[in-house]
Amino acid sequence: MHADHLAEFVSNFEEAGLLVRISSPVETQLEIAAITQQVIKASPPDSAPALLFDQIAGHKIPVLTNLYGSLPRLLQILRTDALDSIADRIAGLLSPDLPEGWLDSLKMIPQFSQLLNIKPRIVKTASCQQVVKLGRDVNLSEFPLLTCWPEEQSPTITAAQIITFDPETKARFVNTRPIQVISNQQLAIRWSQHDAGYQLLQKFHARGQQLPVAIVIGGDPVGLYTAHAPLPKMTDPYAFGGFLRNNALELVRARSIEIDVPAQAEIIMEGFIDPASDPIDVAPVANSTGYYSPAEKVMPLNLSAVTHRANPIWHALIPAAPPSEAGYFAQATERIFLPLLKLMVPELLDIHFPDSGAGRYLMFVSIQKSYPQQARRVVNALWSLESLLSLKLIVVVDDDINVHDEQQVWYRVSTNLNPGRDLIHTEGPGDDDDHSAAIQGIGHKLGLDATRKSAAEGHPREWPSALKMPAEMLERVQSRLTELGLS
């Protein structure tokens, strides 16, 4: 499938039976989110369709939900037959200069963005600017803004790429966070204190300047994935998007700010945050942990322009407890970025983010263990990575365990782990959305060492062998199943 913008993906997915068009009238307040969640829960695993609501009360613009909520759609969005194929391409980029030690490995990370070598292409005109509204003509009520959960007191934009840049290096920064609608011309971005966007806001404040921001909705869906992806800081997400699709993404200069935006986007909102202005109170907002984030004080984003396609589609991610689209983002990330993790933690064999961890709090890790306390080194190395800052629980197992089989992992935890010896505790920066933390953004973390232990690790007894049937016997039995009446 080849597509460059959202409408083409919608058409192709509908033709393939991966999207359902809902033509019965619906309200935007809660109903769209409730229908989407009901469809996800009622569908067999990995088969919930994307939903296009094209009869929204009071609006002509259709709403698209659950776009990323199945592996077949995610693979088409990323232009691949398997997530591991992308990981192999990344490993291929790095393999000519594979480092010998961990220090050399860290030096390879800044080279990753250079190795991509598929920089975005700047164009002069674009479909995202077929309709242009400036200044007082900006009116967000024209769009089918969603309130997804009952305790949200204002609509929230949930599927937007947030673009700004470093005032010193001019490096582009793209991420995604909940964006609350304050008025028809004002938004509030719920950046956490650890987000680069929040840190850039402080940089602009120190310079006495306003922070320009572009909010991007729709376009090539690969863009929203790259905004979620844990890329090294020096990597341009749109260069990575070009790498994923083997073709440079097209960008166009925004109409009222000096930021380049995806040319095929559905809707672009442009504006400035004045760091010297008074923060405003924003109500609780739903997030992908399945809980509400509390009320906060946030610097407002004042809109200076809104541009869009002549017939745009409003894209939304419904924040929810698992199962949800967040699980598919985590599934893609664990496969695609494994080669980069292995650069920093060479003994790492495989990782898995279980759905039960909401895509951010729990990780299973298998390692090639060759010396005592190696699991502790791996756990502390992973916690040191900014992209894994939200991890609260890491489980480490030996190389003979498939980390994607949760029963196998927890079996090894229950049989190999000695709670008096094999728990690894620390405290440090954590996820702002973690409501269990006593202080927002600071949390306790726990590592579980479920690997085999040696005397050097405080286990003087001989470690027993696991029960295992010889391979030749398993093959013999398999060949006799029909004869034995057990096929």
Side-chain angles (χ1 to χ4, degrees):
M1 180 187 76
H2 176 75
D4 289 322
H5 58 80
L6 203 54
E8 292 176 328
F9 279 93
V10 166
S11 176
N12 290 333
F13 285 147
E14 185 174 18
E15 185 177 339
L18 299 174
L19 177 144
V20 173
R21 184 182 295 268
I22 298 176
S23 297
S24 298
V26 295
E27 300 287 341
T28 59
Q29 303 299 314
L30 296 184
E31 191 174 6
I32 288 176
I35 292 171
T36 302
Q37 282 304 105
Q38 194 65 24
V39 168
I40 291 173
K41 290 182 178 180
S43 300
D46 208 32
S47 64
L51 302 175
L52 184 70
F53 300 84
D54 60 8
Q55 293 293 325
I56 311 297
H59 294 278
K60 296 181 180 180
I61 298 173
V63 173
L64 174 66
T65 66
N66 202 41
L67 176 63
Y68 302 88
S70 80
L71 185 57
R73 287 197 302 279
L74 184 61
L75 293 177
Q76 291 194 43
I77 288 168
L78 298 177
R79 275 94 166 172
T80 186
D81 295 327
L83 295 173
D84 284 331
S85 297
I86 300 175
D88 291 342
R89 289 175 59 202
I90 291 176
L93 287 177
L94 302 171
S95 60
D97 299 302
L98 281 178
E100 296 181 0
W102 68 270
L103 185 58
D104 292 327
S105 296
L106 294 180
K107 291 178 181 177
M108 280 291 295
I109 301 304
Q111 297 179 31
F112 178 64
S113 58
Q114 300 172 19
L115 292 169
L116 292 176
N117 200 29
I118 306 182
K119 296 181 179 179
R121 181 170 58 251
I122 306 301
V123 297
K124 293 184 178 180
T125 60
S127 57
C128 69
Q129 295 175 346
Q130 289 173 333
V131 178
V132 177
K133 296 189 177 179
L134 303 171
R136 294 182 180 180
D137 290 334
V138 171
N139 183 5
L140 295 182
S141 66
E142 296 176 348
F143 302 109
L145 305 170
L146 299 189
T147 301
C148 297
W149 296 94
E151 291 184 27
E152 292 185 307
Q153 297 175 19
S154 61
T156 305
I157 299 171
T158 57
Q161 303 160 54
I162 305 168
I163 311 176
T164 185
F165 61 89
D166 189 303
E168 298 167 359
T169 67
K170 306 303 178 184
R172 186 174 12 252
F173 165 73
V174 186
N175 84 332
T176 179
R177 291 289 294 173
I179 304 170
Q180 290 173 273
V181 179
I182 306 306
S183 70
N184 285 336
Q185 297 181 346
Q186 199 172 58
L187 300 171
I189 302 173
R190 297 285 292 242
W191 273 322
S192 79
Q193 59 188 314
H194 308 299
D195 281 327
Y198 178 83
Q199 295 159 17
L200 290 176
L201 184 60
Q202 308 313 308
K203 276 192 176 185
F204 273 85
H205 190 190
R207 296 164 68 99
Q209 298 175 340
Q210 297 186 88
L211 174 72
V213 180
I215 306 296
V216 180
I217 297 173
D220 188 332
V222 78
L224 189 61
Y225 171 70
T226 61
H228 279 86
L231 293 165
K233 275 188 175 180
M234 63 292 299
T235 303
D236 183 348
Y238 293 141
F240 184 62
F243 167 80
L244 291 175
R245 63 190 293 240
N246 283 310
N247 192 22
L249 298 181
E250 291 186 346
L251 304 180
V252 68
R253 179 54 55 98
R255 294 301 297 266
S256 64
I257 56 177
E258 294 185 358
I259 288 179
D260 295 324
V261 298
Q264 303 292 341
E266 300 294 308
I267 302 162
I268 306 287
M269 302 175 186
E270 308 170 12
F272 296 89
I273 299 177
D274 184 355
S277 65
D278 293 329
I280 58 176
D281 294 312
V282 292
V285 64
N287 65 59
S288 60
T289 64
Y291 292 88
Y292 293 95
S293 290
E296 286 187 1
K297 289 186 177 294
V298 178
M299 296 292 185
L301 169 61
N302 298 300
L303 297 180
S304 52
V306 169
T307 71
H308 59 82
R309 299 172 66 88
N311 297 292
I313 297 172
W314 184 268
H315 182 206
L317 298 174
I318 307 302
S324 69
E325 287 180 272
Y328 288 95
F329 283 123
Q331 186 176 343
T333 294
E334 73 183 33
R335 307 318 315 147
I336 293 172
F337 290 93
L338 184 58
L340 286 178
L341 272 183
K342 286 183 175 180
L343 274 179
M344 294 173 279
V345 190
E347 57 269 72
L348 207 64
L349 294 178
D350 204 356
I351 64 170
H352 177 51
F353 291 100
D355 280 347
S356 52
R360 62 171 86 182
Y361 294 138
L362 172 62
M363 177 190 273
F364 295 159
V365 177
S366 61
I367 65 170
Q368 185 73 51
K369 186 174 178 180
S370 57
Y371 56 82
Q373 302 285 2
Q374 194 167 6
R376 289 177 177 267
R377 192 200 86 80
V378 168
V379 166
N380 285 297
L382 293 173
W383 277 331
S384 73
L385 301 177
E386 188 173 5
S387 59
L388 299 177
L389 180 138
S390 64
L391 279 176
K392 293 198 291 184
L393 181 60
I394 301 176
V395 181
V396 186
V397 294
D398 289 301
D399 58 344
D400 59 339
I401 291 298
N402 175 11
V403 291
H404 303 277
D405 186 331
E406 297 188 31
Q407 184 171 340
Q408 280 192 43
V409 173
W410 291 119
Y411 166 68
R412 283 299 177 93
V413 169
S414 64
T415 56
N416 282 4
L417 182 131
N418 181 338
R421 178 194 62 211
D422 300 331
L423 304 185
I424 307 159
H425 294 272
T426 192
E427 181 182 12
D431 185 12
D432 272 16
D433 294 328
D434 176 16
H435 61 275
S436 73
I439 301 174
Q440 187 176 22
I442 300 176
H444 289 82
K445 301 167 188 287
L446 177 64
L448 304 182
D449 180 0
T451 61
R452 291 181 288 270
K453 304 302 184 302
S454 64
E457 294 173 293
H459 192 81
R461 302 168 58 196
E462 181 181 355
W463 198 266
S465 298
L467 305 180
K468 187 175 182 180
M469 194 64 68
E472 57 269 20
M473 180 56 69
L474 292 175
E475 293 176 5
R476 172 178 168 79
V477 170
Q478 184 67 30
S479 66
R480 295 194 64 199
L481 287 180
T482 302
E483 174 193 339
L484 296 171
L486 298 173
S487 59

